[in-house]
Amino acid sequence: MGVMATKERSSGAGDPARTLELLWRDGAAVPGGRRGPRPGLSVDAVVDAAIGLADEGGLDALTMRAVAQRLGVTPMTLYTYVPGKAELLDLMLDTVFLRMPRTSFAADEPWRARVTAVADGNRALYLRHPWLAELRVHRPPLGPGVMRKYEHELGAFEGLGLDDVAMDSALTYVLGFVQSAARAELDARAVDRESAMSDGEWWAAHEPLLARVFDGERFPLAARVGEASAVAYQGMYSPDHAYAFGLGRVLDGLGALIRSE
């Protein structure tokens, strides 16, 4: 993938000063060129149109021309609101973070329940906006959505005896697991969609062939465990099981850290 293609799937690739100005605009239209703003159009409208396109077709469907067409304006008009696609991606990311539902944490709520709520909220966000899994977010835009999300999610680890660095690392650990699990789930959905077959249907169609070529005596563990798993998952893979099992082990690991502090 070339440099330009990489930039088009990365956060923090635009003009930093312009991006920050747009991120903290408080909902106002912020034209960026010499032409005046089109009545009824705003930065928020541009971002909403872009999110809609990405939700429907992924980042490949997101171009400045496509956004302009959805809004019924020319691409040149669009550039009076957003300098380019790099800045638009940052605005989209910050917007979905700002709008995501957040579960309030009760003071006496067990920490595992609080962290689970953070994980579940992020998993739901990825499944609602699959393009997020395509986006590289090594340098997140420091807008109100990113900051509010970070502030809220750190609250799941407050009062556990962790120092500030450990709190940040623990949150990063949880979010990294969720992102990985969400990518795997989205990949599985894409395979189902593209093949027009569920895992169960695929397995049923290929089981007779596998039975002819697979030697269970040569691979006894694979035969035993694979069969048990296929029955449990009703196919080769269960996103829900993989997420629940993995999150449980993440929480167990954090539990060991918390007890050691």
Side-chain angles (χ1 to χ4, degrees):
M1 184 177 291
V3 174
M4 183 59 68
T6 300
K7 287 180 65 176
E8 290 183 352
R9 292 175 178 268
S10 302
S11 64
D15 179 275
R18 190 73 180 100
T19 298
L20 283 173
E21 178 187 358
L22 288 165
L23 286 169
W24 293 93
R25 68 196 180 279
D26 294 328
V30 185
R34 295 179 180 178
R35 298 173 59 188
R38 179 179 183 271
L41 191 60
S42 67
V43 174
D44 288 330
V46 173
V47 173
D48 286 341
I51 291 172
L53 281 169
D55 285 348
E56 295 165 12
L59 293 183
D60 287 339
L62 180 65
T63 65
M64 297 297 280
R65 182 175 297 277
V67 175
Q69 289 176 343
R70 173 159 291 201
L71 292 169
V73 300
T74 65
M76 288 304 296
T77 299
L78 202 64
Y79 285 111
T80 67
Y81 293 87
V82 180
K85 185 174 178 180
E87 291 83 3
L88 182 56
L89 284 171
D90 283 344
L91 290 165
M92 293 164 60
L93 178 66
D94 197 72
T95 296
V96 297
F97 280 178
L98 188 64
R99 293 175 179 172
M100 69 182 293
R102 307 185 203 283
T103 302
S104 298
F105 303 133
D108 59 348
E109 189 173 10
W111 72 266
R112 289 178 73 105
R114 300 201 305 262
V115 176
T116 296
V118 168
D120 288 350
N122 279 274
R123 183 194 187 201
L125 187 69
Y126 278 114
L127 299 185
R128 190 160 56 248
H129 303 291
W131 53 270
L132 283 174
E134 304 175 49
L135 191 63
R136 295 179 177 87
V137 193
H138 180 64
R139 297 173 179 171
L142 300 181
V146 168
M147 298 309 298
R148 185 175 297 179
K149 181 177 186 291
Y150 184 52
E151 176 78 15
H152 172 77
E153 292 174 352
L154 284 173
F157 300 92
E158 181 75 336
L160 300 181
L162 302 177
D163 63 34
D164 290 348
V165 175
M167 287 174 62
D168 177 82
S169 298
L171 176 58
T172 300
Y173 177 50
V174 172
L175 297 183
F177 160 74
V178 175
Q179 182 184 49
S180 177
R183 282 177 174 170
E185 182 168 357
L186 291 168
D187 285 347
R189 290 186 179 191
V191 170
D192 287 352
R193 186 169 58 250
E194 291 164 6
S195 67
M197 300 175 72
S198 68
D199 265 3
E201 291 168 336
W202 187 93
W203 186 260
H206 290 81
E207 190 173 14
L209 174 61
L210 182 61
R212 290 202 302 270
V213 299
F214 181 74
D215 185 350
E217 293 183 359
R218 184 180 179 187
F219 305 106
L221 282 176
R224 190 188 80 215
V225 175
E227 181 178 358
S229 299
V231 171
Y233 304 155
Q234 297 183 339
M236 295 184 298
Y237 172 69
S238 168
D240 289 338
H241 175 85
Y243 173 76
F245 181 87
L247 180 59
R249 305 298 71 75
V250 168
L251 295 175
D252 289 345
L254 289 174
L257 173 67
I258 291 167
R259 287 192 298 271
S260 70
E261 293 295 319

